[in-house]
């Protein structure tokens, strides 16, 4: 008696599952902002002083340059949010920076606008870049460390299509923050 031939799925890309997880992360980031609005709590880590970080509206999949989530805050402040589960100096970061570049070309207000890149996990070099960008929000930042200078240099290479003035605008508006919203205890 002949045995039926069994077909075994070969290992392959998990792009669909990875994409689904990315969608879930974006939804969780939007819910995180909404929860802050409902609780009347300031949304820290998005580049604003806490009195200005009061959420008044949240929209998803917007027409903004950074289009995952838009968070409107008191005083006409606005955060264009991109949500990435994992962030390293790679194509994902380059894609986000390309959106920052487009936003800078169309015009940004360094007082009211933030280009926020949220991530569940960030590599060491991305965390250093996040620290450097945070320092760029002050009128007179202290001296950057060698690692921060290197990270900003790598960012500026990705922003090579912008003038020096527009790159500085990105430095003033861009924020990278770790938002762990996927674990139950988060």
């Amino acid at each position: 008696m002949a045995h039926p031939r069994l077909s075994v799925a070969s290992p392959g890309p998990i792009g669909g599952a990875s994409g689904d997880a990315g969608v879930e992360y974006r939804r969780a980031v939007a819910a995180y902002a909404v929860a802050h609005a409902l609780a009347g709590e300031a949304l820290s880590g998005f580049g604003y002083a806490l009195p200005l970080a009061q959420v008044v509206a949240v929209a998803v999949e917007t027409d903004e340059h950074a289009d995952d989530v838009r968070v409107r805050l008191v005083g006409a402040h606005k955060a264009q949010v991109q949500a990435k589960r994992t962030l390293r100096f790679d194509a994902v970061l380059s894609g986000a920076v390309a959106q920052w570049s487009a936003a800078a070309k169309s015009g940004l207000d360094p007082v009211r606008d933030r280009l926020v890149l949220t991530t569940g996990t960030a590599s060491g070099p991305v965390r250093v870049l996040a620290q450097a960008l945070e320092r760029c929000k002050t009128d007179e930042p202290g001296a950057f460390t060698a690692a921060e200078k290197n990270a900003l240099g790598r960012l500026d290479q990705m922003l090579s299509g912008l003038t020096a003035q527009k790159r500085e605008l990105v430095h003033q508006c861009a924020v990278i923050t770790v938002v762990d919203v996927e674990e139950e205890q988060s």
Side-chain angles (χ1 to χ4, degrees), residues 135-156:
R135 292 167 68 105
C136 292
K137 308 293 174 282
T138 64
D139 291 335
E140 294 183 31
F144 292 100
T145 66
E148 289 170 339
K149 286 179 189 175
N150 181 46
L152 285 171
R154 291 175 74 182
L155 172 63
D156 286 346

Side-chain angles (χ1 to χ4, degrees), residues 8-19:
V8 178
S10 62
I14 59 168
S18 176

Side-chain angles (χ1 to χ4, degrees), residues 4 8 18 25 29-30 38 41 51-52 89 111 122 131 137 150-151 154:
V8 178
S18 176
Y25 181 74
V29 169
L38 293 173
E41 295 289 326
L52 301 175
F89 265 97
V111 173
Q131 291 169 345
K137 308 293 174 282
N150 181 46
R154 291 175 74 182

Side-chain angles (χ1 to χ4, degrees), residues 131-178:
Q131 291 169 345
L133 289 171
E134 185 177 327
R135 292 167 68 105
C136 292
K137 308 293 174 282
T138 64
D139 291 335
E140 294 183 31
F144 292 100
T145 66
E148 289 170 339
K149 286 179 189 175
N150 181 46
L152 285 171
R154 291 175 74 182
L155 172 63
D156 286 346
Q157 287 176 345
M158 289 185 240
L159 295 168
S160 63
L162 296 179
T163 65
Q165 183 180 15
K166 294 289 186 181
R167 283 194 305 272
E168 182 62 28
L169 188 59
V170 170
H171 291 186
Q172 293 171 338
C173 294
V175 175
I176 299 173
T177 188
V178 175

Side-chain angles (χ1 to χ4, degrees), residues 19-87:
D20 290 346
V23 168
E24 290 302 317
Y25 181 74
R26 283 189 295 280
R27 287 180 185 158
V29 169
Y32 175 78
V34 169
H36 278 77
L38 293 173
E41 295 289 326
L43 186 61
S44 65
F46 277 45
Y48 296 102
L50 291 181
L52 301 175
Q54 298 295 321
V55 178
V56 296
V58 176
V60 295
E61 297 304 325
T62 69
D63 290 332
E64 305 282 353
H65 294 286
D67 62 356
D68 289 343
V69 180
R70 179 182 54 236
V71 180
R72 291 207 182 273
L73 302 136
V74 296
H77 293 81
K78 177 180 68 174
Q80 296 179 43
V81 182
Q82 297 161 276
K84 308 295 181 192
R85 292 182 72 222
T86 303
L87 200 54

